[in-house]
């Protein structure tokens, strides 16, 4: 599934559309500790988190994830939102808890 396909399914709200909408989403990853996400988030993964600051965008770029999904009704702060636009990172959002958001991605990936 591509990022565009995930967006088009309208499971999550769009916060920022990144530049690589044709990029594959191959896994889902949940983590709120940025140092762990930096080393373990899979490239081409959808990263579900509740961390809405600029460091999240930096880690998403460094880890090369396909997109970030903000769970639990968490919003990006203004600096993070601007950085997501600047860096071309796709950010989605949901009111769902982290587990349920990740499960929705997993179900889309694996039918």
């Amino acid at each position: 599934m591509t990022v565009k396909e995930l967006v088009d399914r309208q499971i999550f709200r769009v916060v920022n559309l990144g530049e690589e909408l044709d990029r594959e989403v191959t896994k889902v990853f949940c983590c709120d500790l940025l140092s762990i996400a930096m080393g373990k988030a899979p490239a081409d993964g959808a990263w579900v988190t509740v961390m809405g600051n600029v460091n999240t965008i930096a880690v998403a770029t460094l880890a090369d994830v396909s997109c970030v999904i903000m769970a639990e009704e968490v919003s990006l702060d203004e600096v993070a939102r601007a950085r997501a636009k600047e860096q071309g990172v796709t950010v989605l959002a949901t009111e769902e808890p982290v587990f349920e958001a990740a499960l929705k991605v997993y179900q889309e990936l694996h039918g």
Side-chain angles (χ1 to χ4, degrees), residues 38-58:
M38 193 171 8
K40 297 196 180 235
D44 297 327
W47 177 22
V48 184
T49 186
V50 296
M51 299 296 294
N53 62 43
V54 70
N55 294 330
T56 301
I57 303 306

Side-chain angles (χ1 to χ4, degrees), residues 16 54 57 76-88:
N16 185 65
V54 70
I57 303 306
L76 289 178
D77 63 35
E78 289 306 313
V79 174
R81 186 181 301 262
R83 186 64 52 90
K85 287 182 182 182
E86 179 183 298
Q87 297 291 320

Side-chain angles (χ1 to χ4, degrees), residues 23-59:
R23 183 149 181 207
E24 289 293 319
V25 176
T26 59
K27 295 181 180 181
V28 63
F29 177 77
C30 303
C31 187
D32 295 321
L33 190 56
L34 297 177
S35 60
I36 290 176
M38 193 171 8
K40 297 196 180 235
D44 297 327
W47 177 22
V48 184
T49 186
V50 296
M51 299 296 294
N53 62 43
V54 70
N55 294 330
T56 301
I57 303 306
V59 170

Side-chain angles (χ1 to χ4, degrees), residues 51-109:
M51 299 296 294
N53 62 43
V54 70
N55 294 330
T56 301
I57 303 306
V59 170
T61 302
L62 180 67
D64 200 28
V65 297
S66 296
C67 62
V68 176
I69 301 169
M70 305 302 303
E72 307 269 354
E73 295 187 52
V74 171
S75 300
L76 289 178
D77 63 35
E78 289 306 313
V79 174
R81 186 181 301 262
R83 186 64 52 90
K85 287 182 182 182
E86 179 183 298
Q87 297 291 320
V89 176
T90 296
V91 181
L92 307 174
T94 183
E95 62 282 339
E96 297 286 335
V98 170
F99 177 81
E100 282 82 0
L103 183 59
K104 287 181 178 185
V105 175
Y106 182 87
Q107 289 170 334
E108 292 296 322
L109 290 172

